[in-house]
Amino acid sequence: MSAVLIRGGTVVNADRAFRADVLCQDGRILAVGEGLSAPAGATVVDAGGQYVMPGGIDPHTHMQLPFMGTVTMDDFFTGTAAGLAGGTTSIIDFVIPDPQENILDAYKKWRGWAEKSASDYSFHVAITWWSEQVRKDMGTLVNDEGVNSFKHFMAYKNAIMCDDETLVNSFKRALELGAMPTVHAENGELVYLLQKTVSEMGIKGPEGHPLSRPPMVEAEAANRAIAIADVLNVPIYVVHVSCVESAEAIARARARGQRVYGEVLAGHLVLDDSVYRHPDFATAAAHVMSPPFRPKGNSEFLWRGLQSGNLHTTATDHCTFCAAQKAAGKDDFSKIPNGCGGVEERLAVIWDEGVNTGRLTPSEFVAVTSANTAKLFNIYPQKGSVSVGADADLVVWDPAGTKTLSVKTQHSKGDFNIFEGRTVRGIPSHTVSQGELVYVQGDLRAVQGKGRYIKRPAFGPDFGAVQQRAQVQMPTAVAR
Ligand code: URP
Ligand code: ZN
Ligand code: ZN
């Protein structure tokens, strides 16, 4: 394999930033230090004035997802290639078995689809139903296949929603196995009811989508999942936290000492619910995703969550449907396939709105776009760190480079860009994946099938360690 020497940049890790060259060879980082010399045949990248950071890890994508009667536009090649163009070098996607489908069969099916990935990838597996066989197969996934996280959809009734019986059984099993339970927190019964109510009021267009999924619907599910996890002493990770109410639920639980982690989407950090009132159906429908974009004010609260450490990771939930697919819900918003893109834009949007505004330092940026995900899903420092021995998955970041984000220039196969027209300052100049240059100043060199499946080991015996909080006397609010 060829060597790549990245010379003259500032290495940014989650814990510190320092001037150093980075030498990549045979897919790994061979050396990090000042004044490194290039081995014969090495490609030298001049990173003067730039940052050298661990490649982004997107812990929440859906490539080639069969969902709501259709399949997403991006497959594992086009989706991961788009990620590489934006500096994201790994994704964690989701195996989502149908209820009653054998979860190992579903896992094998997704592994087959993902073979065309251009970047490294891994899988959370959704638990959509419960049986003794599911319990057994969760063990096989953890012990033999390197799956250390299980997803639970608390929404999407009559499809992939799981009930409390499944949640409780699966959380308990996850704890036994040393695997992280994760939840899509929305009360699916309430969504089902509100969709009918809103429709009966005569609201059929995309503006009905957020009305049927208000923040309390998310907060109820977040609180319930957190409470179940608390009773069972299992850590929990809440995906796509979108509103004040569920971010507060996480913050409250953490203040009590519970291990609860929260993920935020780039879209939820910068967009608001006015998108659903766009007069053009296609534009409004293109923003239909769950949880929906929220009223102004929620985004700032999510930023505070990242800043304070109560929220931990950023993702995209990249799940692209084109206008023709979204048109399935032309007369009924509940039939619009849920999902938006963003895997290519996440880093630039978060840098621009996070670092350029002073909300995040570059090291904090690395934490929330890469290192925290690697730690929470147990692949650190193989991923998420610029250090000797780590995978050579890197992004060379030009803080002065600018770009106007647009569907016209994106690499995703989706036909819409939720960040359309946004000019960002801070963009990748080079992306390195497995020690190879895969993106060089606008030239994407993604190779179909080059990505590897990344096994994530189970967490050790301390995973469920818990302080006996019940014995801690909480002060009473009012002494009578
Ligand atoms: O709307 C969304 N988020 N679509 C993908 C499935 C999910 O809920 O994550
Ligand atoms: Zn979801
Ligand atoms: Zn999702």
Side-chain angles (χ1 to χ4, degrees), residues 331-389:
D331 305 314
D332 176 356
F333 65 83
S334 72
K335 296 201 166 51
I336 301 171
N338 285 205
C340 297
V343 71
E344 183 171 351
E345 295 83 14
R346 176 181 64 122
L347 297 189
V349 166
I350 292 172
W351 182 278
D352 191 51
E353 283 287 334
V355 179
N356 290 345
T357 57
R359 287 174 172 126
L360 302 175
T361 65
S363 281
E364 289 164 347
F365 171 85
V366 167
V368 301
T369 57
S370 183
N372 288 354
T373 289
K375 289 177 189 172
L376 285 170
F377 294 107
N378 214 15
I379 45 173
Y380 187 87
Q382 177 192 354
K383 304 284 188 193
S385 163
V386 183
S387 56
V388 172

Side-chain angles (χ1 to χ4, degrees), residues 118-392:
S119 76
D120 285 355
Y121 57 94
S122 195
F123 283 115
H124 312 279
V125 174
I127 300 302
T128 52
W129 62 295
W130 192 253
S131 73
E132 217 14 63
Q133 189 63 40
V134 171
R135 203 187 84 81
K136 186 165 162 284
D137 292 344
M138 285 173 75
T140 304
L141 287 169
V142 172
N143 297 320
D144 300 347
E145 300 297 331
V147 171
N148 71 12
S149 50
F150 292 98
K151 169 79 172 282
H152 307 81
F153 289 93
M154 299 171 79
Y156 306 122
K157 181 177 156 75
N158 295 331
I160 52 177
M161 177 171 112
C162 68
D163 56 16
D164 281 2
E165 182 187 0
T166 302
L167 273 186
V168 168
N169 281 310
S170 177
F171 281 23
K172 182 166 174 290
R173 179 65 170 147
L175 176 63
E176 278 167 23
L177 293 166
M180 179 76 84
T182 80
V183 288
H184 167 134
E186 283 185 303
N187 182 315
E189 279 301 330
L190 282 174
V191 172
Y192 187 74
L193 176 76
L194 292 176
Q195 283 176 334
K196 268 181 61 188
T197 312
V198 170
S199 177
E200 281 162 13
M201 287 163 68
I203 303 172
K204 311 283 184 192
E207 70 278 17
H209 178 69
L211 299 176
S212 69
R213 309 179 95 104
M216 266 306 161
V217 162
E218 181 178 331
E220 186 285 325
N223 277 297
R224 178 160 38 105
I226 289 168
I228 293 171
D230 190 25
V231 170
L232 298 176
N233 285 339
V234 62
I236 183 171
Y237 177 96
V238 183
V239 311
H240 50 42
V241 176
S242 75
C243 60
V244 171
E245 289 81 350
S246 59
E248 280 181 340
I250 293 170
R252 266 198 311 275
R254 291 178 61 80
R256 290 197 311 268
Q258 196 181 341
R259 263 180 220 99
V260 183
Y261 306 100
E263 168 195 283
V264 193
L265 305 185
H268 284 135
L269 285 168
V270 299
L271 298 177
D272 65 63
D273 63 350
S274 60
V275 295
Y276 299 115
R277 297 187 288 276
H278 197 284
D280 172 36
F281 170 84
T283 303
H287 291 92
V288 166
M289 64 161 299
S290 299
F293 298 110
R294 298 301 191 184
K296 278 193 173 45
N298 284 276
S299 297
E300 192 52 46
F301 201 81
L302 300 177
W303 280 112
R304 298 285 156 79
L306 290 172
Q307 290 171 278
S308 64
N310 278 326
L311 298 174
H312 306 85
T313 64
T314 58
T316 57
D317 203 354
H318 186 89
C319 185
T320 48
F321 297 107
C322 68
Q325 293 172 302
K326 294 271 184 181
K330 190 91 190 78
D331 305 314
D332 176 356
F333 65 83
S334 72
K335 296 201 166 51
I336 301 171
N338 285 205
C340 297
V343 71
E344 183 171 351
E345 295 83 14
R346 176 181 64 122
L347 297 189
V349 166
I350 292 172
W351 182 278
D352 191 51
E353 283 287 334
V355 179
N356 290 345
T357 57
R359 287 174 172 126
L360 302 175
T361 65
S363 281
E364 289 164 347
F365 171 85
V366 167
V368 301
T369 57
S370 183
N372 288 354
T373 289
K375 289 177 189 172
L376 285 170
F377 294 107
N378 214 15
I379 45 173
Y380 187 87
Q382 177 192 354
K383 304 284 188 193
S385 163
V386 183
S387 56
V388 172
D391 284 357

